Amino acid sequence: MKSVLTTAITAADAAGRFPTNSDLESVQGSLQRSAARLEAAEKLSSNIDAVAQEAYDACIKKYSYLNNAGEANSTDTFKAKCLRDIKHYLRLVSYCLAVGGTGPLDEWGIAGQREVYRALGLPTAPYVEALTFARNRGCAPRDMSAQALVEYNALLDYVINSLS
């Protein structure tokens, strides 16, 4: 799994060199932010059901046509799957916060996602809306510290950009 440390070492190995001071400073910066990341992961994990449900509700409010017959959210099964997918992305964000890198998202959430959604005829805009809502709903200090919120938002932006 990719973390900031494995990424720095892999980049140095690919270039045929030892890690540079810049590589090590990047690792050190990530380690210094680890407490904030773990705080964000803990807060998200303890509220993941509520955050996912609010995000789902926000995306369905904006894209209400998805509830029409034959659309991507037209049956109870489809609704459950949509909520499940949103929760899956949030869980992966939580994992990324814990490991300090985008590895879980890259490996289990992003690789091939556009092709899967395209093959299934699912629009990605509602997922973008849901994750954008989850990002914008966060508030420091109500939900977490300012630095934890920065770490959380950065990973949500990463997912949102991959779906856009």
Side-chain angles (χ1 to χ4, degrees), residues 7-22:
T7 300
I9 291 171
T10 301
D13 283 349
R17 60 175 173 74
F18 289 106
T20 64
N21 282 341
S22 177

Side-chain angles (χ1 to χ4, degrees), residues 4-5 7-9 11-12 17-30 33:
V4 68
L5 182 58
T7 300
I9 291 171
R17 60 175 173 74
F18 289 106
T20 64
N21 282 341
S22 177
D23 295 331
L24 298 176
E25 286 171 3
S26 173
V27 171
Q28 184 178 18
S30 179
R33 296 187 320 273

Side-chain angles (χ1 to χ4, degrees), residues 39-51 94 143-144:
E39 175 194 348
E42 178 185 355
K43 300 291 183 170
L44 176 58
S45 295
S46 67
N47 295 310
I48 197 161
D49 291 329
V51 173
S94 179
D143 299 321
M144 59 187 79

Side-chain angles (χ1 to χ4, degrees), residues 32-98:
Q32 290 170 344
R33 296 187 320 273
S34 64
R37 284 196 320 272
L38 290 176
E39 175 194 348
E42 178 185 355
K43 300 291 183 170
L44 176 58
S45 295
S46 67
N47 295 310
I48 197 161
D49 291 329
V51 173
Q53 186 65 54
E54 289 177 18
Y56 169 83
D57 292 343
C59 88
I60 295 306
K61 182 178 179 182
K62 180 170 182 175
Y63 296 101
S64 59
Y65 74 90
L66 292 173
N67 291 324
N68 297 341
E71 292 291 340
N73 204 50
S74 59
T75 68
D76 289 341
T77 300
F78 291 164
K79 291 175 184 181
K81 287 180 179 182
C82 182
L83 179 60
R84 176 206 61 199
D85 289 352
I86 293 167
K87 195 180 295 186
H88 177 69
Y89 282 116
L90 292 173
R91 196 174 306 112
L92 291 175
V93 165
S94 179
Y95 296 164
C96 289
L97 288 163

